[in-house]
Amino acid sequence: MADEECNHACGGCSKEGCGKRDMHEKLHEGSSVKKVIAVVSGKGGVGKSLVTSLLAAKVHKDGYRTAILDADITGPSIPTAFGLAEERAEGGTMTGKDGKQEEFLKPVTSAGGVQIMSMNFLLPHETDPVIWRGPVISGAVRQFWTDVVWKDVDFMFVDCPPGTGDVPLTVFQSIPIDGIVVVASPQQLVRVIVEKAVNMANMMNVPVLGLIENMSYVKCPDCGKEIKIFGESNIDGIAKDFGLSVLARIPIEQKMSVMVDNGEVEALGDGYVDDAAHKVEALLSKN
């Protein structure tokens, strides 16, 4: 099948020999990335960037080298969570295997040691809008993979924009994803949200590691009672229907909100995504 005829629905492809081709973009020759985890959702506003930040910080605390590729080009919030909103990415040159000088980008490293590349690091000002059409945005995501030198990364987390459009498709078809984490909130449409994300992963032959429910509850500061402000969650039943695990239930907390807004996500204590982090870390032990 010619590339222009491919719809990238690998799960339903019957073309002989098609599945043997590697359609992924080539990682920069100066980079090393062992495992890539995409954090996705079928809709926006569920907290994918928060989950991405918590996972990268936790896995790094557990002794692994982590990185974040911020694929949410038009709405990046990862730099703010890590206190890097004022930072700008630097470039460099290196001699390639062919002896020619090649330009590359350096990721920005957080205080805790997480390597991060985000569109905000390339803009003159943090609040400058990215008014680009889909193909240009997709090209930027590919360049974050091909033109950035990622140093000795054990786990890279990709913060995907919501839905199943151009950019999530670019991530799935351009980057060798080892697993995805689906983020949802305890609202009525959660089944549709999860099913969209899971179906896309299945079409692209990418394993789903599990579900994370964000904004799961609020704990009363006086009596400790958990208040389900979105109503009773159906996440367990949905996970069972899809044969998945619920990896975390993240509460709504003032402390968390304030610390993330202040760029202190790495200072948050453990417990929010521990099980999810262990599920991710197990991918290396399987090799």
Side-chain angles (χ1 to χ4, degrees):
M1 181 186 289
D3 285 349
E4 60 270 17
E5 298 174 1
C6 181
N7 63 6
H8 305 288
C10 303
C13 183
S14 60
K15 295 292 183 178
E16 185 177 354
C18 181
K20 296 180 181 179
R21 296 184 303 158
D22 185 359
M23 302 177 67
H24 298 135
E25 297 285 347
K26 185 179 178 182
L27 185 66
H28 193 284
E29 65 181 52
S31 297
S32 173
V33 178
K34 293 178 181 177
K35 297 293 181 182
V36 182
I37 310 300
V39 181
V40 306
S41 179
K43 71 180 291 293
V46 298
K48 290 182 303 301
S49 296
L50 171 65
V51 169
T52 302
S53 301
L54 290 172
L55 279 172
K58 170 58 180 170
V59 174
H60 191 272
K61 287 178 184 177
D62 287 347
Y64 297 93
R65 294 177 292 270
T66 62
I68 296 176
L69 190 160
D70 189 357
D72 196 352
I73 301 298
T74 59
S77 55
I78 295 290
T80 297
F82 283 85
L84 302 172
E86 302 301 320
E87 298 293 328
R88 295 296 174 264
E90 296 180 357
T93 58
M94 64 185 299
T95 304
K97 293 180 180 179
D98 57 2
K100 296 181 180 179
Q101 289 294 109
E102 298 179 354
E103 295 183 349
F104 66 91
L105 282 170
K106 301 176 184 178
V108 175
T109 302
S110 72
V114 179
Q115 299 175 50
I116 303 171
M117 178 51 69
S118 174
M119 179 54 66
N120 268 12
F121 296 150
L122 303 176
L123 300 174
H125 306 98
E126 179 190 9
T127 55
D128 289 348
V130 178
I131 308 175
W132 294 348
R133 295 193 181 275
V136 180
I137 294 174
S138 297
V141 172
R142 284 192 291 268
Q143 284 187 286
F144 283 178
W145 176 255
T146 61
D147 294 1
V148 176
V149 173
W150 303 96
K151 289 292 186 180
D152 301 320
V153 175
D154 294 315
F155 293 101
M156 171 182 284
F157 296 91
V158 181
D159 182 22
C160 290
T164 55
D166 283 348
V167 177
L169 180 60
T170 295
V171 170
F172 277 93
Q173 71 185 41
S174 301
I175 300 174
I177 305 297
D178 295 286
I180 73 167
V181 172
V182 180
V183 183
S185 56
Q187 294 164 301
Q188 234 178 1
L189 292 175
V190 65
R191 175 174 290 276
V192 176
I193 295 166
V194 171
E195 192 163 358
K196 282 179 179 290
V198 171
N199 285 343
M200 183 176 186
N202 290 338
M203 289 178 67
M204 306 302 292
N205 285 337
V206 178
V208 180
L209 301 182
L211 311 179
I212 289 181
E213 184 177 74
N214 188 34
M215 299 179 283
S216 187
Y217 59 89
V218 174
K219 184 172 287 188
C220 175
D222 297 321
C223 67
K225 179 182 178 181
E226 293 183 0
I227 304 169
K228 310 292 180 63
I229 62 173
F230 291 112
E232 288 299 324
S233 170
N234 296 314
I235 197 73
D236 289 308
I238 294 168
K240 183 179 180 180
D241 290 345
F242 288 100
L244 301 173
S245 301
V246 178
L247 302 177
R249 291 177 172 84
I250 302 174
I252 299 174
E253 286 186 353
Q254 183 183 39
K255 170 189 171 185
M256 181 192 298
S257 178
V258 170
M259 291 184 71
V260 170
D261 286 347
N262 290 338
E264 300 172 343
V265 70
E266 291 173 292
L268 282 167
D270 295 340
Y272 295 105
V273 293
D274 287 10
D275 289 345
H278 297 155
K279 186 73 173 281
V280 168
E281 292 160 8
L283 292 175
L284 272 185
S285 64
K286 291 179 181 179
N287 287 349

